[in-house]
Amino acid sequence: MSAPGGPPANGAPSPAAIRKATLRRAAVAFGVGALGAAYLWHTNPHEPGHLLLPCPFRWATGLLCPACGGTRMAYDLMHGDLVGAFHDNAVLLTLGVPAAAYVIGRWLYAGLRGHRFRARLGARGNVVVLGIAAVWMLVRNLTG
């Protein structure tokens, strides 16, 4: 049996500790994201000469990876250009952004209720994600 407000007897963190950790991690992620967004707001990735990290896969192979265009897509979304964002990376916009929003939302919801949430993909989920990424990479590189 645990003391009121203390950790449970099995050594797992208390719901209050999970809530506090979730709020702390969310605040740090929000702050880092806001700094990155502020920098990207004033840095047009469609124009050369800006300090942005290049894609290592494209640098090494000359091919577009499934995530290539993500920075340009984020810039276009922040500036209200949905058509441009779709052009930069259609699959990341239509599948990746909603999936990330869902996972982050579930993590926040569970954490604020004092529960842990760990996103996990089973074998089928991994096959689906990797299959979509492989097909998208082929389509992007073969169609130019």
Side-chain angles (χ1 to χ4, degrees):
M1 188 169 210
S2 66
N10 63 1
S14 69
I18 293 173
R19 276 192 290 278
K20 186 175 180 181
T22 299
L23 287 171
R24 185 175 55 251
R25 289 176 183 144
V28 168
F30 180 79
V32 170
L35 287 173
Y39 177 76
L40 187 58
W41 177 267
H42 299 289
T43 307
N44 187 347
H46 295 284
E47 297 172 355
H50 296 287
L51 181 60
L52 294 168
L53 296 175
C55 174
F57 183 81
R58 187 165 188 191
W59 173 81
T61 66
L63 299 172
L64 296 170
C65 80
C68 276
T71 303
R72 293 186 307 273
M73 181 193 75
Y75 175 87
D76 289 341
L77 284 175
M78 287 193 302
H79 288 83
D81 185 5
L82 191 59
V83 173
F86 188 82
H87 179 266
D88 292 329
N89 196 321
V91 170
L92 190 60
L93 179 64
T94 58
L95 298 177
V97 171
Y102 172 77
V103 170
I104 292 168
R106 286 283 313 267
W107 171 74
L108 277 172
Y109 179 75
L112 294 177
R113 295 188 70 215
H115 303 287
R116 291 198 180 266
F117 173 75
R118 297 198 197 302
R120 295 191 178 144
L121 279 179
R124 280 188 228 149
N126 284 324
V127 168
V128 168
V129 170
L130 291 175
I132 290 170
V135 169
W136 176 234
M137 190 172 109
L138 286 172
V139 167
R140 295 181 84 191
N141 287 294
L142 293 176
T143 60

